[in-house]
Amino acid sequence: MDTTGTISSGRAVRVRGLRKRYGTPRAGFKHAVAGLDLDIDRGEIVAVLGPNGAGKTTTVEILEGFRERDAGEVAVLGQDPAHAGRDWRARLGVVTQESRDLGELTVAETIRATARYYPAPRDPDDVIAAVGLGEKARTRVRSLSGGQRRRLDVALGIVGGPELLFLDEPTTGFDPQARRSFWDLVESLRDGGTTILLTTHYLDEAAQLADRVLVVHDGALVAEGPPGTLGGAEARTPVVRWTQDGEPRSERTERPTELVARLARETAGPDGEVPGLQVTRPSLEDVYLDLIGAAPETTKVAS
Amino acid sequence: MTASPETRTVIPAAPQPGPARLPGIGTLALVRAGVELRSFVRERDAVIFLFLYPLVMLALFATVFGKEAEGIGDVTVNFAQYFLPGMIATGVMLTSFQSMAISIAVERDDGTLKRLRATPLPASAYFLGKVAQVLVTSALQTALLLALAALVFDVALPTDVGRWFTFAWVYVLGTAAGTVLGVAFSSVPRSGRSATAVVTPVVLVLQFISGVFFPFYTLPSWLQTIASVFPLRWLAQGMRSVFLPEDLATLEQTGTWQHGLTAAVLAAWLLVGLVVGTRTFRWRRRDDG
């Protein structure tokens, strides 16, 4: 990560030492974000992972200009979100976590009206088709299913043609097929040059979409890297599991075949089989769970 | 998602935002007005309880009490004529104050405001859209009340310009004050669900003590005094001065129409609403940072 401290114009997001706490002096403070550094290059898709309460949404909302920070430097598309104006807003797309609004208009009316807020919007019909709501274009928003509503949220987030798109748990309520289609959409947005910051609980989503994954725990960054190398090579060492003398055994090794061959010679039963034999390579999910399990739990401070 | 043939998942790149400029406030206000009006007419609750209510009440009361005359001595008018100004005032209050207070409270609660905040839409365009919606619904409602009274219940509408001038300024001041007070009051309900329950009783009580349902002079004087603090009483009295014979001014608290005081009270509430509204307006729920 670049730490030279220069404001780079090639960077979509640059965050240094971001802090945000909630609470009162009497009740004590909870640090939602405790000294976070973050860089996102233009055209990059970055996924932020972390358990509930890790500070993901707080961070995203500070970047979106919805929340004020207590400390730290933040530049989003070169500007401080706390003081940026309409020009800046027009370059962002925001898909927030929850939404229950927009009941009485149809899908098409809603998307068309929103498109008109922007200086250079996408064609609303393209957007409706891209999120797969073509058949629902004339349906009132109130009668959409949960997954369809979420697709409308995504449509409203991209209709302005944003340079930088925030997606806060975008695929909640999607069925597997809808998620696949959504992933295709995100990839085509990236191909069009859109920078995307994605928070998600789905590890496969992060693995599929993200160029880089950030793991946040207790308001701080605990790991970052491409999904394939997150946690370092060590975290991905294959694990061989077997049963010996009635006891479950396991060993991590870079040479699992060699180990299995040795086990076959030494511990196989009369039938030539090693009881309970398994060879697994840790998935992103295993690595992630390791990371947040190992992270220190120190955020409750009295003031 | 059902894999329909029209489902595409690829989207063309966005147009380059080079020379394009942000849309102007006027254009945006018109877009918002369209959204607001369409939402309003499609919302059955709003249409029935805000828009049709004064019309139904006028028809109902005029039919039930049609034979009774209101007035003093030789100067009497039929009940519909006496009731009309109160219903116009009520309508203005409902379409401005109640409609603003409830809709903004609901939109804050359900995330509409937060969503708009995330777009380049300026706050002024949002409020102009609301104001346009109030103006259109309220003007239409008032026109229908006048038509109903004149065509069905034989109410003679004023013919001189002076009275219509009075009507114009009372209507504009009343609508403006109601609208900004509605924006201010929208922060009072704690949730969108409770908005109707919190706002409606306020409006209902004011209707009863402001001479809308009962002639104002029949209320005890202490209640008249309390009612005089609030705008609806003055709005109703201003409307009476338009639609009732000059001689019936003797039934008012001071025996005159008190136009000066009416203008002053309504203007004061307009100012209060502006100050409180701009200071307390929030884009987000209280429990959301």
Side-chain angles (χ1 to χ4, degrees):
Chain A
M1 192 185 294
D2 177 298
T3 49
T4 54
T6 52
I7 302 284
S8 159
S9 61
R11 206 158 269 168
V13 175
R14 181 177 188 282
V15 175
R16 288 293 175 276
L18 181 64
R19 287 182 177 276
K20 175 73 181 178
R21 64 182 185 179
Y22 299 113
T24 58
R26 280 186 64 182
F29 290 104
K30 164 94 175 87
H31 284 250
V33 185
L36 189 81
D37 294 344
L38 170 64
D39 283 297
I40 302 175
D41 287 334
R42 283 182 190 270
E44 199 179 19
I45 300 185
V46 169
V48 179
L49 303 177
N52 288 326
K56 301 190 298 291
T57 296
T58 298
T59 302
V60 169
E61 290 196 337
I62 289 169
L63 300 186
E64 290 165 349
F66 283 156
R67 243 172 238 285
E68 291 189 3
R69 59 189 187 267
D70 293 333
E73 271 177 64
V74 177
V76 174
L77 297 176
Q79 296 191 44
D80 182 343
H83 305 111
R86 290 177 63 202
D87 290 320
W88 177 78
R89 282 252 166 256
R91 297 161 65 199
L92 295 191
V94 172
V95 177
T96 59
Q97 245 179 52
E98 38 134 40
S99 71
R100 309 174 265 127
D101 56 333
L102 309 163
E104 302 298 336
L105 296 191
T106 68
V107 168
E109 286 169 342
T110 305
I111 295 175
R112 288 201 185 107
T114 303
R116 298 194 59 186
Y117 306 158
Y118 292 87
R122 289 195 158 88
D123 180 341
D125 294 329
D126 286 350
V127 173
I128 292 168
V131 298
L133 284 175
E135 286 174 3
K136 294 283 174 185
R138 297 162 71 90
T139 303
R140 290 203 194 171
V141 173
R142 70 169 343 144
S143 39
L144 296 181
S145 73
Q148 288 163 348
R149 275 214 62 121
R150 209 66 191 118
R151 277 186 267 158
L152 174 64
D153 288 338
V154 172
L156 294 173
I158 64 175
V159 73
E163 291 168 47
L164 170 62
L165 177 61
F166 293 99
L167 296 169
D168 204 355
E169 297 180 16
T171 57
T172 310
F174 280 26
D175 60 40
Q177 214 175 353
R179 285 177 68 210
R180 290 277 164 190
S181 307
F182 172 76
W183 294 352
D184 290 345
L185 171 63
V186 169
E187 276 160 6
S188 65
L189 287 170
R190 183 214 348 236
D191 295 344
T194 311
T195 308
I196 297 170
L197 176 63
L198 167 82
T199 74
T200 182
H201 281 302
Y202 301 111
L203 281 295
D204 55 341
E205 188 160 288
Q208 173 76 29
L209 294 178
D211 301 312
R212 203 150 51 87
V213 175
L214 309 177
V215 180
V216 177
H217 189 57
D218 286 337
L221 197 64
V222 293
E224 72 160 314
T229 66
L230 192 74
E234 193 149 313
R236 278 158 207 285
T237 308
V239 182
V240 179
R241 293 188 176 83
W242 74 98
T243 309
Q244 196 172 349
D245 307 328
E247 296 270 314
R249 301 286 184 90
S250 70
E251 193 174 320
R252 306 190 81 153
T253 171
E254 280 303 338
R255 306 180 64 83
T257 312
E258 192 180 294
L259 175 59
V260 170
R262 181 165 62 80
L263 289 172
R265 284 195 308 276
E266 296 172 3
T267 71
D271 58 355
E273 288 297 311
V274 178
L277 181 67
Q278 268 186 335
V279 182
T280 52
R281 200 170 282 272
S283 66
L284 178 60
E285 184 154 338
D286 297 323
V287 175
Y288 165 75
L289 289 173
D290 252 13
L291 282 168
I292 62 168
E297 298 197 75
T298 52
T299 48
K300 185 92 173 169
V301 271
S303 168
Chain B
M1 194 185 316
T2 51
S4 59
E6 67 177 289
T7 299
R8 289 189 292 135
T9 47
V10 178
I11 186 154
Q16 286 307 307
R21 279 201 315 210
L22 285 166
I25 298 281
T27 311
L28 291 170
L30 281 177
V31 173
R32 285 305 303 170
V35 169
E36 298 283 0
L37 280 167
R38 249 179 293 189
S39 305
F40 182 88
V41 299
R42 287 177 192 175
E43 182 126 34
R44 216 171 303 143
D45 289 6
V47 171
I48 293 172
F49 292 105
L50 299 177
F51 191 77
L52 295 179
Y53 172 82
L55 287 155
V56 171
M57 293 306 268
L58 177 65
L60 205 65
F61 274 65
T63 306
V64 173
F65 302 106
K67 298 280 184 293
E68 292 177 26
E70 287 291 339
I72 185 163
D74 297 337
V75 188
T76 59
V77 294
N78 73 21
F79 191 85
Q81 182 157 8
Y82 193 85
F83 204 56
L84 175 66
M87 284 303 101
I88 292 176
T90 296
V92 167
M93 175 114 169
L94 292 176
T95 48
S96 63
F97 176 77
Q98 183 162 341
S99 144
M100 278 302 99
I102 293 178
S103 71
I104 296 178
V106 167
E107 288 178 0
R108 180 178 294 120
D109 193 52
D110 71 14
T112 304
L113 292 185
K114 188 175 174 183
R115 188 194 293 281
L116 290 176
R117 192 86 170 113
T119 73
L121 184 81
S124 54
Y126 169 74
F127 285 110
L128 284 172
K130 288 272 181 208
V131 168
Q133 181 237 302
V134 168
L135 285 178
V136 170
T137 51
S138 155
L140 197 61
Q141 182 183 56
T142 305
L144 287 174
L145 276 168
L146 292 177
L148 180 70
L151 301 178
V152 180
F153 298 105
D154 295 325
V155 173
L157 298 182
T159 49
D160 61 300
V161 178
R163 283 183 176 240
W164 286 112
F165 175 73
T166 306
F167 173 83
W169 69 255
V170 171
Y171 175 84
V172 168
L173 265 183
T175 312
T179 305
V180 294
L181 288 170
V183 174
F185 201 79
S186 73
S187 299
V188 174
R190 295 199 71 86
S191 77
R193 248 169 314 173
S194 68
T196 308
V198 173
V199 177
T200 310
V202 173
V203 175
L204 208 60
V205 167
L206 284 184
Q207 285 175 48
F208 274 99
I209 68 172
S210 298
V212 164
F213 290 121
F214 316 113
F216 196 60
Y217 63 86
T218 62
L219 294 170
S221 65
W222 63 270
L223 207 50
Q224 293 187 7
T225 310
I226 292 175
S228 300
V229 176
F230 298 103
L232 184 57
R233 178 244 139 116
W234 299 100
L235 187 54
Q237 182 169 316
M239 287 300 172
R240 284 200 292 278
S241 80
V242 174
F243 294 99
L244 298 185
E246 192 61 44
D247 294 342
L248 285 189
T250 50
L251 291 179
E252 301 298 338
Q253 217 173 8
T254 59
T256 65
W257 294 123
Q258 296 174 287
H259 277 162
L261 194 55
T262 301
V265 174
L266 291 179
W269 277 106
L270 174 61
L271 208 66
V272 168
L274 276 176
V275 171
V276 176
T278 46
R279 280 172 175 242
T280 58
F281 183 78
R282 293 170 58 93
W283 291 94
R284 314 180 58 159
R285 291 196 308 269
R286 282 179 236 198
D287 62 353
D288 190 23

